[in-house]
Each structure stands twice: as C-alpha cells, then as structure tokens.
Amino acid sequence: MDKISFAGTAPTFVSKVGIKAKDADTLSKYYQDVVGLREVARKGQSVILGAGETPLLEIEQASAVRADDPHSAGLYHTAFLLPARADLARWARRAIDRQTPITGASDHLVSEAIYLTDPEGNGIEIYADRPQQEWKWNGASIQMGTEALDVGNLLGEPGGDVPWAAAPDGTMVGHLHLRVGDAKEAESWWQNELGLQTVAGFGGSAVFMSTGGYHHHVAANSWQSRGAGRRDNDRSGLAWAEFSSADAKSEREIVDPWGNVVRIVPAKR
C-alpha cells in the first residue's frame, strides 16, 4: 500500500470484512464493477476482493442462507475509504455517467460520503476524509453532521476529471457500521473488548468510536434494530469483521452480544 490514510495509522483499525452471500459470483462482480475492487484471490468457495494487492472484502458462497433481515443485528454498511477527495470525485463522476443507483450522499463535516446498497441488501459507503487538521473537537468529542453533499463542488476537485479505473492502492475499510439491539450496550462492549474510545453519540440510538484520534472506526446504531437479539447464523450479510491491532500478540476471535463476529489480528506495520 503506497499511501496509508490516517484511519490506518491508529492502534486499532478495520482491515477486512467478510460477507455471506447467496450468490458470491454476482456479488463479487458488483463490488468489482461498481465499487472498483479487484479479485485478489479465491479460497474454497470464497472470493477475496481488494485494492492493489490488499484484501478488503471476502465474499463467502452460502447458497442455503436466508436473506438478511434489516431489522435484526448485523451490517449497516461497510465504508470504503478512498485515499483522496479526487478519487471520490472520479468515482462519483463515473456513477453519474452510468446512472448507478445510490441511496444517499452526505457531507459529514469530517468526510464526504456516497451511499449505495449491493444486490443482496448490504449497505456500502464510499467516502473520502477531509484533512484531520480541519476536524473540530470539543474535548474528546468530534463534531460530525449530516448535510447535503455539494456534488458540484466535489466534481470540481482538481484531478477529479481523470477517468475512474478502479479503487486505487491505499483504499481501505475506513470504518464498520453495525446494527445492534442497544447502542449503549454496544458502546460498553467495544470499549471493554477493543479499547475503542467514544467520539460521538446521538440520542442513545447511535454511537461512534475510534482509536488514535480518528473520527470513527466503528459505529453502532439501533435505528432499525432496537431490541434485536442475537443474529441468525443462517442469514446472508455480515459473516465477520477483522481488526488489526498494534496490541495483539496473536489472532483471536470474539463475538459481540448480537452475534457479530470480530476477528483481531496483529497489525502489520
């Protein structure tokens, strides 16, 4: 990876996400064609996609699974962080030219983001961070918001008129956003298990957490899933999420109160 985003310099950060799919090949083609990932390997019935040579997403064929339930615990979205604003402008221009269906486009003050949904209902965020020197903090809390994305301004970014070819080297999973039954319980779990610090919260229904001063590596909300119990293993969607940790001496696997599987691996610096 030529360029490491600020998100990837933190002590703990998201390194890879695993998804169970009813049709892994169709889903793989979507992430290659629309998101810009490339196939880097195959492992049994799993397709591993990434940017450059870095694996970011593993799609596991699981023909017998039922469709994901958006009101249950699980994946809200996987957020792919592009190295530069010009990369987001290139992606957006191509999406407009191809009339790619999207579900939203927001300015979060710390970042600019475009949202979409894959063919099996998994949420996706494509985003670029604003320079961290421009982020506004109030003590340990960061100022984030949801405003309309100024698409015209984005498309005018210098270098944004270069045709999009693929997700550039340096693209990473910037953060993971989960559906949970209780955001406060999720906050305690992530703090205790991975040492994440809370940087923002919204009315007890959503929490944003990170390490190393990033705006968030993990978000958890109960907007659609309040009171949800453990996730059904026979559903499509999130299979696991992998985090790289500078404190990890060996690989281990833990499970949150809703059955979301978290793998922790030693960070490679």
Side-chain angles (χ1 to χ4, degrees):
M1 189 183 294
D2 292 334
K3 180 181 179 182
I4 299 176
S5 296
F6 181 59
T9 65
T12 300
F13 59 91
V14 191
S15 48
K16 193 166 30 173
V17 171
I19 288 175
K20 287 188 288 188
K22 293 181 70 67
D23 188 337
D25 283 334
T26 295
L27 215 55
S28 169
K29 289 174 184 175
Y30 177 88
Y31 280 90
Q32 292 181 67
D33 184 47
V34 176
V35 179
L37 304 182
R38 60 178 291 269
E39 184 176 321
V40 296
R42 291 213 171 211
K43 184 174 68 177
Q45 291 189 303
S46 296
V47 184
I48 302 170
L49 306 176
E53 298 302 319
T54 303
L56 301 175
L57 182 69
E58 186 169 323
I59 304 173
E60 172 191 344
Q61 177 67 38
S63 305
V65 295
R66 295 181 293 158
D68 189 31
D69 176 3
H71 298 290
S72 69
L75 181 66
Y76 191 68
H77 62 240
T78 303
F80 295 98
L81 172 60
L82 300 177
R85 190 174 193 250
D87 298 315
L88 183 63
R90 294 181 191 118
W91 186 91
R93 187 177 297 278
R94 183 172 184 265
I96 292 168
D97 290 344
R98 300 180 61 184
Q99 297 184 315
T100 300
I102 67 168
T103 58
S106 298
D107 182 341
H108 294 303
L109 307 182
V110 294
S111 63
E112 294 170 293
I114 299 171
Y115 297 90
L116 51 161
T117 304
D118 77 19
E120 296 199 7
N122 300 296
I124 300 168
E125 176 180 344
I126 311 291
Y127 79 110
D129 279 333
R130 286 205 164 90
Q132 64 266 30
Q133 297 85 354
E134 298 178 8
W135 302 349
K136 295 181 180 179
W137 292 84
N138 181 14
S141 299
I142 195 165
Q143 182 180 342
M144 292 193 288
T146 300
E147 301 176 357
L149 179 66
D150 188 337
V151 177
N153 183 275
L154 174 64
L155 296 178
E157 177 72 9
D161 56 348
V162 176
W164 171 267
D169 191 28
T171 299
M172 65 176 290
V173 180
H175 65 267
L176 178 73
H177 197 146
L178 297 171
R179 306 187 308 252
V180 297
D182 185 296
K184 294 299 291 183
E185 186 178 353
E187 178 181 22
S188 296
W189 188 86
W190 284 95
Q191 288 176 348
N192 293 334
E193 295 292 339
L194 266 79
L196 270 61
Q197 294 94 43
T198 299
V199 294
F202 292 93
S205 62
V207 62
F208 297 80
M209 300 162 285
S210 72
T211 66
Y214 190 54
H215 56 72
H216 67 294
H217 291 104
V218 175
N221 79 69
S222 60
W223 297 326
Q224 301 169 246
S225 54
R226 184 177 300 277
R230 288 182 68 85
R231 177 175 174 76
D232 294 332
N233 287 328
D234 67 343
R235 296 277 186 182
S236 65
L238 184 67
W240 46 265
E242 180 185 280
F243 285 74
S244 292
S245 171
D247 296 327
K249 301 295 187 289
S250 60
E251 296 185 15
R252 63 188 179 102
E253 186 173 286
I254 54 179
V255 181
D256 81 359
W258 299 277
N260 296 311
V261 176
V262 177
R263 298 177 179 175
I264 302 161
V265 300
K268 299 176 182 178
R269 299 296 189 185

